[in-house]
Amino acid sequence: MTPPDRTTIHIRIPSSLLKRLKLAAAEGERSMNAEVAARLERSFSGNDEDRVQAVKLLTDALSILDKGTKI
């Protein structure tokens, strides 16, 4: 039975990705579930301020590059 704070999901992924996940889980000495959960958690770990700053920096960089390519 699934604990109340957890939900079961089913996903489809390429077999090559599954192999990479299995390898990463084995290397990290954790279950596939723990590996996937940890990777998802990390993908959401950056706060909104970090994302806003990153987008601003990338936009500024693209603007500078665009100005440099115009004749």
Side-chain angles (χ1 to χ4, degrees):
M1 186 167 156
T2 304
D5 66 332
R6 299 192 182 248
T7 300
T8 300
I9 64 168
H10 300 274
I11 62 170
R12 292 180 189 92
I13 60 172
S15 60
S16 60
L17 181 55
L18 178 62
K19 289 176 187 175
R20 291 169 58 194
L21 278 169
K22 284 181 179 180
L23 181 59
E27 288 173 347
E29 297 181 356
R30 53 182 161 197
S31 69
M32 284 277 298
N33 185 76
E35 183 67 29
V36 171
R39 287 172 178 266
L40 284 170
E41 283 290 338
R42 279 198 311 266
S43 74
F44 292 110
S45 67
N47 65 34
D48 287 336
E49 289 178 27
D50 290 342
R51 284 191 192 103
V52 168
Q53 181 65 19
V55 168
K56 182 183 180 326
L57 290 170
L58 288 170
T59 302
D60 292 348
L62 286 172
S63 176
I64 290 168
L65 290 172
D66 284 344
K67 289 177 185 175
T69 60
K70 293 181 182 175
I71 297 175

